[in-house]
């Protein structure tokens, strides 16, 4: 877990040698600059962690290859929260109190960021969540930032697409009531569907770890929804989709960003084919900055980057940029510079921080077609 950097010890040696050469044989510089990265490396949302880490590594390794940050080598300490808030509280506490990192990129799941943000805020350690979209995350304090859009916007995008674009007015919603992200989005989608003249004909719930959704889907089907919003991460979403099709439910399926995983198609198969979800970016975007990232990612990992990879890359890139602009690895200095971010040129688009430390950015709608995620539409905030 600790061997985050490509080549591990080797790149350390190279960095030190490079440092010596630059300093003309003087005493090689200071301690490494420690940055924490918290993500779900294991568990039911593990593809999120893998992508986030790979995206961030692209940035941190490049900086080290080019001589480091403020003359220091970046040492990334990767911690796995497994998508569980209790784990997140532990690893954030370790990073802040024991490792004394300068800043943290993470976490991914909203409920893990809820657990970690108070630790960062108390410790005066800036935190940038790449992907947690629930608005309450950044409300925790002035050290907490994000590079993604927020769920009130995502909920509006989903409702507009279903009701206005597809003309599907009778909407069913199923969500995980143990998950703040999932439950929050259920509300935002419902409010917006109704605002647009549609009707939420059924609202069904489940709990994390549930494997059968047939009772809820049967009850929902009695209300004849034309579309079902499955407010869940990919593991549950694939199960819901499969069971819906087994019950003969033909409604259009739609999800949020949490559907973005190769596992959605691997587990969901034909049941998710034709479904839609909202997301943060498309690898097919013509934006040159996006294409530069996509090429570098493909070359290193041999696969196409999903939204988590792009957001991990942007969170890491923005952090490095902020530390450079601040000229300091001190928490308050980094925080002030992050808060003043305007038009940072990210792989997921231009990032500007608003007064609530949220990024205002467009969303995309993707469709599952022949098992691939195809860009349907880009929606500006
Ligand atoms: N937005 C999700 C959350 O807050 C995390 C996520 C982001 C998942 C992007 C997939 C893609 O929990």
């Amino acid at each position: 877990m600790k061997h985050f950097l490509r080549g591990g010890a080797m790149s350390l040696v190279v960095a030190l040698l490079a440092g010596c050469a630059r300093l003309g044989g003087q005493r090689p510089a200071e301690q490494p600059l420690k940055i924490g990265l918290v993500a779900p490396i294991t568990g039911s949302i593990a593809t999120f962690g893998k992508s986030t880490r790979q995206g961030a590594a692209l940035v941190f390794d490049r900086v080290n290859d080019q001589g480091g940050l403020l003359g220091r080598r970046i040492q990334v300490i990767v911690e796995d929260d497994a998508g569980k808030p209790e784990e997140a509280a532990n690893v954030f506490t370790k990073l802040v109190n024991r490792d004394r990192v300068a800043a943290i990129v993470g976490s991914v799941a909203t409920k893990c960021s809820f657990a970690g943000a108070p630790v960062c805020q108390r410790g005066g350690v800036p935190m940038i969540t790449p992907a947690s979209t629930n608005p309450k995350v950044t409300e925790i304090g002035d050290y907490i930032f994000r590079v993604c859009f927020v769920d009130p916007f995502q909920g509006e995008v989903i409702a507009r697409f279903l009701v206005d674009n597809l003309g599907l007015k009778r909407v069913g919603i199923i969500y995980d009531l143990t998950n703040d992200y999932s439950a929050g989005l259920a509300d935002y989608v419902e409010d917006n569907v109704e605002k647009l003249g549609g009707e939420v004909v059924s609202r069904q719930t489940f709990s994390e770890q549930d494997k059968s959704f047939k009772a809820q889907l049967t009850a929902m089907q009695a209300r004849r929804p034309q579309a079902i919003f499955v407010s869940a991460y990919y593991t549950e979403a694939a199960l819901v989709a499969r069971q819906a099709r087994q019950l003969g439910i033909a409604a259009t399926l739609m999800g949020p960003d949490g559907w973005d995983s190769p596992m959605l198609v691997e587990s969901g198969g034909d049941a998710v084919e034709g479904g839609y979800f909202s997301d943060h970016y498309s690898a097919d975007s013509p934006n040159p900055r996006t294409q530069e990232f996509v090429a570098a990612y493909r070359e290193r990992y041999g696969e196409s980057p999903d939204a988590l990879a792009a957001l991990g890359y942007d969170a890491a890139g923005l952090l490095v940029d902020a530390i450079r602009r601040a000229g300091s690895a001190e928490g308050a200095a980094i925080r002030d510079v992050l808060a003043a971010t305007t038009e940072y040129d990210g792989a997921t688009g231009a990032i500007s921080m608003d007064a609530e430390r949220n990024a205002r950015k467009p969303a995309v709608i993707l469709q599952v077609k022949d098992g691939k995620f195809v860009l349907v539409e880009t929606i500006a905030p």
Side-chain angles (χ1 to χ4, degrees):
M1 208 106 309
K2 300 287 146 60
H3 291 285
F4 184 65
L5 300 171
R6 183 180 30 176
M10 202 40 219
S11 52
L12 168 59
V13 171
V14 172
L16 287 176
L17 289 175
C20 289
R22 251 197 334 278
L23 293 166
Q26 284 168 21
R27 189 165 50 89
E30 312 153 52
Q31 298 292 310
L33 198 160
K34 290 185 193 170
I35 292 176
L37 186 135
V38 182
I41 308 290
T42 59
S44 72
I45 52 171
T47 73
F48 295 167
K50 178 187 175 213
S51 293
T52 304
R53 177 185 186 172
Q54 290 186 166
L58 217 49
V59 171
F60 293 133
D61 290 346
R62 187 191 289 161
V63 171
N64 279 339
D65 288 346
Q66 294 172 354
L69 187 53
L70 308 181
R72 295 160 68 182
R73 186 181 63 86
I74 298 175
Q75 180 191 347
V76 183
I77 305 175
V78 179
E79 295 292 346
D80 175 18
D81 66 24
K84 299 196 172 85
E86 319 77 59
E87 279 306 308
N90 287 340
V91 298
F92 271 90
T93 302
K94 170 191 172 278
L95 289 170
V96 169
N97 296 342
R98 184 132 43 93
D99 299 323
R100 303 202 165 276
V101 295
I104 294 178
V105 170
S107 185
V108 172
T110 283
K111 60 180 176 177
C112 290
S113 291
F114 277 164
V119 179
C120 290
Q121 184 65 28
R122 274 197 303 275
V125 174
M127 160 177 155
I128 306 178
T129 171
S132 295
T133 43
N134 186 284
K136 297 203 179 80
V137 171
T138 44
E139 287 171 16
I140 288 168
D142 62 351
Y143 278 84
I144 318 301
F145 298 84
R146 78 178 105 220
V147 292
C148 52
F149 54 62
V150 289
D151 286 336
F153 171 64
Q154 179 164 216
E156 188 189 332
V157 163
I158 291 165
R160 258 161 50 188
F161 185 73
L162 288 175
V163 177
D164 288 349
N165 293 41
L166 299 181
L168 304 175
K169 295 210 153 78
R170 295 178 60 81
V171 179
I173 296 179
I174 181 163
Y175 68 95
D176 178 349
L177 84 183
T178 65
N179 182 312
D180 312 278
Y181 153 78
S182 172
L185 265 173
D187 288 344
Y188 299 124
V189 169
E190 171 162 5
D191 290 350
N192 283 287
V193 162
E194 277 165 7
K195 218 182 277 168
L196 294 166
E199 188 192 350
V200 172
V201 295
S202 173
R203 240 179 106 106
Q204 300 290 328
T205 64
F206 62 90
S207 301
E208 200 184 356
Q209 318 270 354
D210 281 0
K211 297 278 178 285
S212 173
F213 306 87
K214 289 202 168 162
Q216 295 94 317
L217 289 167
T218 302
M220 188 182 288
Q221 184 57 2
R223 304 277 302 131
R224 300 280 152 204
Q226 297 168 300
I228 301 176
F229 173 55
V230 184
S231 189
Y233 296 135
Y234 61 87
T235 300
E236 285 82 14
L239 287 171
V240 169
R242 272 186 177 282
Q243 292 173 22
R245 299 311 185 216
Q246 281 162 11
L247 291 167
I249 299 174
T252 298
L253 301 180
M254 176 142 199
D257 54 353
W259 277 31
D260 189 357
S261 169
M263 289 304 293
L264 179 81
V265 172
E266 209 154 297
S267 322
D270 285 348
V272 297
E273 185 64 23
Y276 298 94
F277 62 98
S278 50
D279 210 349
H280 301 266
Y281 108 118
S282 161
D284 299 327
S285 156
N287 178 346
R289 179 85 172 109
T290 308
Q291 286 313 315
E292 178 207 325
F293 158 71
V294 170
Y297 192 96
R298 283 204 181 118
E299 173 170 327
R300 174 153 170 196
Y301 301 109
E303 61 193 33
S304 193
D306 58 19
L308 280 307
L311 290 169
Y313 178 83
D314 281 353
L318 175 61
L319 178 59
V320 164
D321 180 65
I323 293 173
R324 222 173 247 149
R325 279 187 284 147
S328 160
E330 200 256 322
I334 300 171
R335 174 202 59 191
D336 290 346
V337 166
L338 280 174
T341 300
T342 45
E343 300 276 313
Y344 171 80
D345 194 15
T348 58
I351 297 168
S352 299
M353 286 296 159
D354 67 14
E356 275 76 51
R357 297 165 301 284
N358 297 324
R360 264 176 72 84
K361 294 162 70 196
V364 297
I365 302 286
L366 305 178
Q367 184 175 28
V368 187
K369 265 193 186 156
D370 300 321
K372 304 232 166 352
F373 301 153
V374 180
L375 178 63
V376 175
E377 201 188 352
T378 302
I379 297 152

